[in-house]
DNA sequence: TTATTATAGATTGTCGACAATCTACTTTCT
DNA sequence: AGAAAGTAGATTGTCGACAATCTATAATAA
């Protein structure tokens, strides 16, 4: 573990992220401040700050005077979040395309290959990670710190809530096609086509995920 | 004053927002927790939570172990923020256009008239408020809570930092033209045109504002 | 004089405690 | 039995204090 000048607040945020990711805290479940404080062996002050920040990002639902709960978005909210993510990343990609060269495209090609491998082996955790790398690689190149920050936050939320479903939602071959399509469209360097392609990419996933999530609850 | 079940944290956020808006706290200036606590007559706990949240929204720059400072974005960051806002609102408008009827358009027409009046009288505070109403009216109709939240946050940031410059940046006639153009384009109901129009609207303002802000600092 | 080091003051990070509020259960009434 | 009211327990909101860290001034050396 490298230099850890993190404040407790940051560490609590990481802890909660991991705990939710691993399914030890499930959507809708209460997150008691005192429980967290005892579990981590620290006081409630930094914990409250972490909870408020995670709530601002949508990972947690905070109800004043009542408590904090793991986010449990409605079908509609899920679709909305994916839609918004598509709009942001779509613009980022069309904006970043000017600084793309063949080396960047082939990097993306390789990530697609790795993604398909992970999908074939059913490693949904790996799959989600490589997918994240793929999309963030495109995102980063737009060089707009503000846009990157917003989009990453949204991505983190979606990753956290739905990465466990990925191997069930798409066949490996679909995953390959969907992402190769993005790379190919970017190679065309047509900004409008790029935006539309990425929006559609997220819209599809949003629809499937929301359906999956609502199935599970009934 | 209506029912006030606000927690202290919320009140501190409002207080800081107003204080910065009125220029009593200037960009780059330090915001001491103890000073705030004594000024408001409360303890530091809710103040810290408010500061962290405002930092998350970009109103404040937070440096761990050092302190909080009023945001003082660079030229580049200013342009980026306006650009991003344009992308979000542009999409929101093109998405909301389906639910627009003539009543909505004429409502926007009236706001444009009021805006020009305020501009003629040099009321930059009024002008900024009506402009905010205009853009939020469009935004709200998209019915995407997530998108609305993100866009509003960004708008609040820009409003706070730059509303004081508005009467200096645009002539009343320019303001009329720029906003009437948006309404007219929306009347055409062409989604692509709407997105481009609103993006351009914000891009222009971003460029002017960033220029103005950098002039002032030199 | 300029650069470096010490030092005192101020500021943030964290803690444990108490009051206000909410939740869930028990009791009471119909 | 079912609904309403009351009560005990738990949870959140806020507070004041202390330790760790940073900042700015003063003292020292080159």
């Amino acid at each position: 573990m490298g230099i850890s000048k993190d404040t407790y607040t940051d560490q609590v945020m990481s802890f909660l992220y991991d705990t939710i990711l691993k399914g030890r805290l499930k959507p809708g479940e209460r997150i008691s401040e005192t429980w967290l404080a005892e579990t981590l062996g620290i006081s409630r002050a930094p914990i409250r700050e972490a909870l408020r920040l995670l709530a601002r990002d949508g990972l947690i639902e905070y109800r004043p005077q009542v408590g904090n709960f793991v986010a449990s978005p409605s079908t509609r909210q899920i679709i909305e979040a994916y839609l918004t993510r598509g709009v942001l990343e779509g613009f980022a990609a069309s904006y970043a395309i000017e600084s793309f060269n063949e080396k960047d495209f082939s990097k993306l090609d390789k990530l697609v290959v790795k993604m398909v491998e992970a999908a074939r082996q059913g490693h949904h955790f790996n799959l989600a990670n490589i997918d994240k790398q793929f999309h963030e690689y495109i995102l980063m190149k737009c060089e707009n710190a503000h846009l990157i920050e917003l989009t990453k936050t949204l991505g983190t939320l979606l990753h956290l809530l739905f990465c466990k479903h990925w191997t069930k939602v798409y066949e490996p071959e679909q995953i390959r096609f969907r992402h190769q399509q993005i790379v190919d469209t970017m190679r065309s360097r047509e900004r409008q086509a790029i935006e539309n392609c990425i929006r559609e990419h997220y819209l599809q996933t949003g629809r499937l995920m929301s359906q999956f999530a609502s199935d599970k609850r009934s």
Side-chain angles (χ1 to χ4, degrees), chain A:
Chain A
M1 53 180 110
I3 43 167
S4 163
K5 236 192 174 181
D6 278 5
T7 182
Y8 279 178
T9 300
D10 299 315
Q11 297 183 42
V12 173
M13 289 177 73
S14 299
F15 174 82
L16 280 173
Y17 182 84
D18 285 344
T19 307
I20 297 175
L21 186 69
K22 286 170 186 163
R24 293 170 60 86
L25 274 172
K26 287 169 191 171
E29 202 168 328
R30 182 187 207 111
I31 304 174
S32 158
E33 293 174 5
T34 30
W35 168 78
L36 250 183
E38 285 169 14
T39 301
L40 299 177
I42 63 178
S43 84
R44 277 173 51 221
I47 285 175
R48 283 178 61 85
E49 292 177 16
L51 287 170
R52 294 300 285 266
L53 285 172
L54 290 176
R56 191 75 191 78
D57 289 349
L59 247 69
I60 282 178
E61 189 199 350
Y62 164 68
R63 280 179 255 165
Q65 318 280 15
V66 177
N68 297 276
F69 304 82
V70 179
S72 152
S74 66
T75 301
R76 182 192 188 116
Q77 288 173 318
I78 294 169
I79 294 181
E80 288 178 355
Y82 273 100
L83 188 62
T84 307
R85 164 87 206 222
V87 170
L88 288 168
E89 187 177 312
F91 174 74
S94 83
Y95 195 74
I97 194 63
E98 290 180 23
S99 64
F100 261 73
N101 56 37
E102 185 49 37
K103 200 181 142 203
D104 295 311
F105 292 131
S106 70
K107 170 75 182 171
L108 292 179
D109 284 335
K110 283 173 194 162
L111 284 172
V112 173
V113 172
K114 286 174 79 177
M115 225 184 292
V116 176
E117 273 179 37
R120 287 225 174 84
Q121 297 170 357
H123 292 160
H124 66 271
F125 194 77
N126 252 342
L127 173 60
N129 266 331
I130 301 170
D131 178 272
K132 193 173 183 177
Q133 279 178 53
F134 178 90
H135 289 287
E136 287 192 355
Y137 187 90
I138 296 173
L139 179 62
M140 293 299 212
K141 295 218 58 163
C142 82
E143 306 254 314
N144 179 330
H146 207 283
L147 183 58
I148 290 173
E149 178 61 24
L150 276 185
T151 314
K152 264 191 163 179
T153 300
L154 238 178
T156 301
L157 173 65
L158 298 174
H159 185 266
L160 176 65
L161 291 173
F162 303 116
C163 79
K164 61 186 168 186
H165 296 151
W166 278 21
T167 48
K168 305 167 198 165
V169 169
Y170 289 118
E171 297 297 317
E173 192 50 35
Q174 285 180 296
I175 289 176
R176 195 199 61 72
F177 177 78
R178 283 166 41 80
H179 288 87
Q180 195 61 55
Q181 190 178 42
I182 291 178
V183 184
D184 291 345
T185 308
M186 290 191 76
R187 274 202 170 90
S188 81
R189 293 184 183 276
E190 290 175 33
R191 298 183 65 161
Q192 198 57 58
I194 294 170
E195 284 210 49
N196 292 335
C197 176
I198 291 182
R199 285 188 187 181
E200 191 59 32
H201 181 94
Y202 278 99
L203 189 55
Q204 284 174 15
T205 305
R207 288 214 182 97
L208 287 173
M209 287 296 182
S210 68
Q211 194 182 322
F212 203 96
S214 63
D215 282 355
K216 232 193 166 176
R217 213 170 292 172
S218 58

